[in-house]
Amino acid sequence: MISPIKIAPSLLSADFAMLRDEIEMVCEAGADILHLDVMDGHFVPNITIGPCVVEAVRKVSSVPLDVHLMISDPEKYLDSFVKAGSDWITFHIEALSEPQKFIERAKSLGVKVGVSLKPQTTVAAIEKILPLVDLVLVMSVEPGFGGQSFRPEVLAKVQELRSAASCPPDIGMDGGLNLDTVPQVVKSGVNVLVAGSAIFHAQDPEAMVGKLREVALKEVVSL
Ligand code: DX5
Ligand code: ZN
């Protein structure tokens, strides 16, 4: 089963001095989820936001928040990010030796759970936990920065995931998504489209949310 297309603007490319306006704009434009990138300068070579920013975003967002934890110790910070108002917590499989424990704890705190894979990480690394998660987020760039080029070789992982019996209905892709890359992404079986620079650096960011959906839906119809 594949869930409907969901557009998830990544706030990393938003204007942080105008965050309320940026959030309201994408929500009104029809965003389904807001994607928030948490980086610790250790798991990835960049530092971004913490729970206090998630809490502030929660107050002005009318759509669920997916908090993408690109941090080395997700267990340590799980409670704070849940308390801050995350609806989905997406962790990296490369950061945890006991992912089952983390997933169970997160679920008991009432959030949905996603697992993310770096471009080099294989589907085999998450095979065991596939039946436990609500989302698989396949990275199509090396995590850490917005505005990088899409890596088409990761699409094979989506096809592999979709043919697995225990695949969750939501598969996301994150990195380098835009009007040119979305068709092949949707065709491969992705339904959650995370886009940062394509939306927030567009001439008309509001229209871009709709355009991405339109391009994606064309592929769904032709599948
Ligand atoms: C990168 C982040 C992405 C980032 C994507 O590590 O996980 O969510 O915002 O940015 P674009 O869409 O510009 O590639
Ligand atoms: Zn992300």
Side-chain angles (χ1 to χ4, degrees), residues 10-13 35 37 39 68 70 139 141-148 174-177 194-198:
S10 166
L11 286 186
L12 187 61
S13 295
H35 182 93
D37 291 300
M39 306 186 191
H68 179 191
M70 284 162 277
M139 293 304 299
V141 297
E142 212 46 62
F145 299 92
Q148 302 179 70
D174 186 4
L177 267 58
V194 178
S197 50

Side-chain angles (χ1 to χ4, degrees), residues 53-126:
V53 178
V54 175
E55 198 178 333
V57 171
R58 177 66 285 162
K59 287 184 191 148
V60 286
S61 171
S62 57
V63 300
L65 308 183
D66 179 18
V67 176
H68 179 191
L69 296 179
M70 284 162 277
I71 62 178
S72 293
D73 198 350
E75 257 161 349
K76 186 172 170 189
Y77 297 98
L78 175 62
D79 288 58
S80 326
F81 281 105
V82 172
K83 222 178 270 168
S86 310
D87 299 280
W88 297 67
I89 291 279
T90 297
F91 69 96
H92 267 268
I93 191 67
E94 303 86 358
L96 279 179
S97 52
E98 291 186 87
Q100 290 93 331
K101 250 177 66 186
F102 179 88
I103 297 166
E104 278 161 23
R105 243 191 78 215
K107 286 197 166 170
S108 74
L109 294 173
V111 289
K112 294 207 176 194
V113 184
V115 61
S116 187
L117 302 171
K118 286 184 182 184
Q120 307 280 0
T121 306
T122 61
V123 170
I126 58 163

Side-chain angles (χ1 to χ4, degrees), residues 9 26 33 45 47-49 68 80 104 107 129 154 182-183 185 193:
V26 287
I33 300 172
I47 300 177
T48 55
I49 61 165
H68 179 191
S80 326
E104 278 161 23
K107 286 197 166 170
I129 58 160
V154 303
V182 157
V185 167
L193 303 167

Side-chain angles (χ1 to χ4, degrees), residues 120-150:
Q120 307 280 0
T121 306
T122 61
V123 170
I126 58 163
E127 221 166 5
K128 272 200 198 140
I129 58 160
L130 263 188
L132 309 176
V133 295
D134 303 292
L135 161 82
V136 179
L137 182 67
V138 178
M139 293 304 299
S140 36
V141 297
E142 212 46 62
F145 299 92
Q148 302 179 70
S149 300
F150 180 72

